[in-house]
Amino acid sequence: MPAIAIIGAQWGDEGKGKATDLLGSRVDYVVKFNGGNNAGHTVVIGDEKYALHLLPSGILSPNCTPVIGNGVVVDLDVLFEELDGLTARGVDVSKLRISASAHVIPSYNRALDKVTERFLGSRRLGTTGRGIGPTYADKMNRIGIRIQDLFDESILRKKVEGALDLKGQILTKVYNRRAPEVDEIVGELLAHVDRLRPMVCDTGLLLNQALVRDEIVLLEGGQATLLDVDHGTYPFVTSSSATSAGACTGSGIPPNRLDQVIGIIKAYTTRVGEGPFPTELFDDAGAHLSKIGAEFGVTTGRARRCGWYDSVIARYAARVNGVTDFVLTKLDVLTGFDQVPICVAYEVNGVRHDEMPVNQSDFHHAVPIYEYLPGWWEDISECRTFEELPANARAYVERAEELSGARISVVGVGPSRDATIVRHELL
Ligand code: IMP
């Protein structure tokens, strides 16, 4: 039985939560393997809308065990806030398992994230300010605090002292801010330790044993391909591995167990934060996509930048992740245009690029080369088969598929759970 990864193919916010939820009732485990509460999934079930930042969206499927893997960075206050919020709405959260090796986000890293962005001024990255980058930096720097450290107070104290030796200096001497006391941080980290204890285990072992028992494990990527620290538009990226290889590192599942990689891709493109975005629109069409697509961040409320579908990015995501199936989301948002452009390649200083330019500055200067497809005006939100779509909408999907390097197996036509057209079953 397979391990399946769900990966964002653009700059995030492609609607991964919906795709995960589509499979959720058939899978046994849903694993978050990277990122932290910088993510934001919106899942709509019936009339209920759930906005999740840290928890895997599988938490809403009663038969599924949600797992926070070792590759995640955990803000404990946010974790318990989300768990309490769901419990108050009648969701059973008792199955959640958290890796003993996941790192925690101490408050000094939230402070450092915000103050660094302010300090960078016009060179800022537009981070979510949740302490994600500094916490991954600590992990690589080997001064991070892991979930397992919370269960031995003397070890925890030593680790916090070690971290604050460096980070306290940065806060006071570089940024002229107050450095927290060791006791303050230890107290804050231990605040939820008793509630945390029963949830913590070796999640790598748990998941591999599940695969041996022929159970289905779904690895749910936070952020997306172009925000991946290695394969994204560096430095305008997040600090974790958001691609399919990261699904293995961040969960402890070996690469040869990964059978299927589902790339989630919006029928147009959005991005939050700073950084290059070749098909970005600054006109009425962009404002229309933003309004009809409700393109505001779930986590920060920031307006997302909007642009046309970019098949160069799609092909790149297909290649980097080994995408086996695309889920094309929000096709309904493209209803009502005379023509719908698809970016097929870029022009950079007079040279055509069919693939992602290797240099950051070339990508910054990439001018999209568009193919213009005829639009459609019919409401497609009630369509449930591909044949029910207007001919021009079908042609748009088929052309996007030809250009994108993998088949488009599912098409989203509205926000609700059932507003979906399945062309090829995912499982
Ligand atoms: P960080 O992850 O907070 O460090 O932010 C780094 C970059 O990633 C910023 O441009 C964020 O806007 C972007 N980012 C982080 N998480 C998400 C997400 O879930 N969706 C879209 N963009 C994100």
Side-chain angles (χ1 to χ4, degrees):
M1 270 297 189
I4 305 167
I6 286 194
I7 304 290
Q10 298 156 317
W11 278 285
D13 310 308
E14 296 92 350
K16 294 184 287 286
K18 185 180 175 188
T20 311
D21 184 55
L22 197 69
L23 295 166
S25 56
R26 285 131 87 197
V27 305
D28 301 293
Y29 291 81
V30 174
V31 187
K32 179 179 169 78
F33 62 79
N34 75 309
N37 54 315
N38 49 347
H41 293 309
T42 310
V43 184
V44 181
I45 300 180
D47 295 335
E48 296 280 314
K49 191 169 171 181
Y50 299 88
L52 303 173
H53 300 286
L54 176 61
L55 293 170
S57 50
I59 195 121
L60 299 170
S61 304
N63 298 324
C64 170
T65 301
V67 174
I68 291 181
N70 56 278
V72 176
V73 290
V74 181
D75 183 320
L76 294 167
D77 288 337
V78 172
L79 173 72
F80 286 104
E81 230 171 76
E82 284 197 1
L83 287 176
D84 290 343
L86 289 176
T87 305
R89 291 171 76 179
V91 178
D92 175 14
V93 298
S94 62
K95 287 186 163 180
L96 177 68
R97 291 294 169 268
I98 303 177
S99 167
S101 300
H103 283 242
V104 294
I105 306 179
S107 59
Y108 49 79
N109 280 343
R110 285 196 296 274
L112 274 167
D113 194 356
K114 290 192 186 114
V115 80
T116 309
E117 283 282 277
R118 231 171 289 149
F119 188 77
L120 285 171
S122 64
R123 288 178 297 118
R124 73 184 173 277
L125 300 174
T127 73
T128 58
R130 305 292 198 260
I132 308 294
T135 302
Y136 279 111
D138 286 358
K139 173 176 175 174
M140 293 307 175
N141 224 355
R142 290 156 294 182
I143 54 167
I145 314 285
R146 296 192 290 173
I147 294 273
Q148 58 188 274
D149 300 327
L150 308 187
F151 304 121
D152 183 332
E153 192 173 336
S154 71
I155 294 264
L156 176 66
R157 185 167 292 277
K158 281 194 194 120
K159 293 204 173 182
V160 171
E161 274 166 9
L164 280 180
D165 272 350
L166 176 69
K167 316 240 14 168
Q169 304 252 16
I170 297 174
L171 275 166
T172 52
K173 296 195 177 148
V174 179
Y175 296 119
N176 200 22
R177 293 292 195 281
R178 186 185 75 84
E181 300 294 333
V182 173
D183 280 344
E184 195 180 324
I185 299 298
V186 170
E188 158 192 309
L189 293 175
L190 291 181
H192 306 284
V193 75
D194 291 331
R195 284 184 73 190
L196 191 62
R197 202 183 302 272
M199 302 173 189
V200 176
C201 68
D202 179 346
T203 48
L205 179 65
L206 180 79
L207 296 171
N208 278 286
Q209 286 174 336
L211 288 172
V212 169
R213 286 195 305 271
D214 272 355
E215 293 177 335
I216 300 179
V217 174
L218 186 65
L219 301 144
E220 176 183 63
Q223 292 77 51
T225 304
L226 292 181
L227 290 171
D228 181 278
V229 68
D230 282 270
H231 302 290
T233 48
Y234 190 89
F236 299 101
V237 293
T238 192
S239 299
S240 68
S241 299
T243 41
S244 59
C248 296
T249 313
S251 66
I253 288 177
N256 60 355
R257 300 269 1 205
L258 202 58
D259 300 81
Q260 196 180 358
V261 178
I262 301 171
I264 315 300
I265 195 156
K266 223 182 295 204
Y268 50 100
T269 313
T270 63
R271 149 161 231 180
V272 264
E274 308 300 320
F277 178 178
T279 62
E280 182 168 12
L281 291 165
F282 300 96
D283 57 6
D284 289 350
H288 181 82
L289 292 177
S290 166
K291 185 171 166 222
I292 306 299
E295 296 296 352
F296 293 91
V298 179
T299 297
T300 59
R302 289 183 292 177
R304 298 179 186 139
R305 300 154 63 192
C306 296
W308 298 122
Y309 187 83
D310 185 336
S311 70
V312 183
I313 285 174
R315 287 194 292 278
Y316 180 71
R319 166 160 59 92
V320 168
N321 295 296
V323 168
T324 53
D325 302 83
F326 275 120
V327 172
L328 184 79
T329 58
K330 296 181 113 170
L331 183 66
D332 53 305
V333 177
L334 290 182
T335 301
F337 287 100
D338 287 330
Q339 290 189 312
V340 196
I342 292 185
C343 169
V344 294
Y346 305 135
E347 189 186 302
V348 186
N349 302 322
V351 178
R352 182 183 168 112
H353 287 248
D354 288 294
E355 299 297 333
M356 283 285 279
V358 69
N359 286 328
Q360 185 194 346
S361 53
D362 283 352
F363 191 61
H364 268 274
H365 296 117
V367 177
I369 299 172
Y370 285 117
E371 203 173 284
Y372 293 86
L373 282 86
W376 61 91
W377 294 80
E378 299 88 335
D379 177 2
I380 61 169
S381 61
E382 300 295 326
C383 297
R384 294 295 175 268
T385 65
F386 195 60
E387 291 64 40
E388 285 175 71
L389 285 174
N392 287 351
R394 282 202 307 272
Y396 180 83
V397 174
E398 282 163 351
R399 185 64 184 133
E401 180 173 60
E402 269 166 18
L403 290 164
S404 300
R407 65 183 188 176
I408 294 176
S409 296
V410 176
V411 179
V413 292
S416 71
R417 203 178 205 182
D418 60 338
T420 303
I421 294 172
V422 179
R423 299 174 77 205
H424 309 282
E425 289 290 342
L426 292 178
L427 261 180

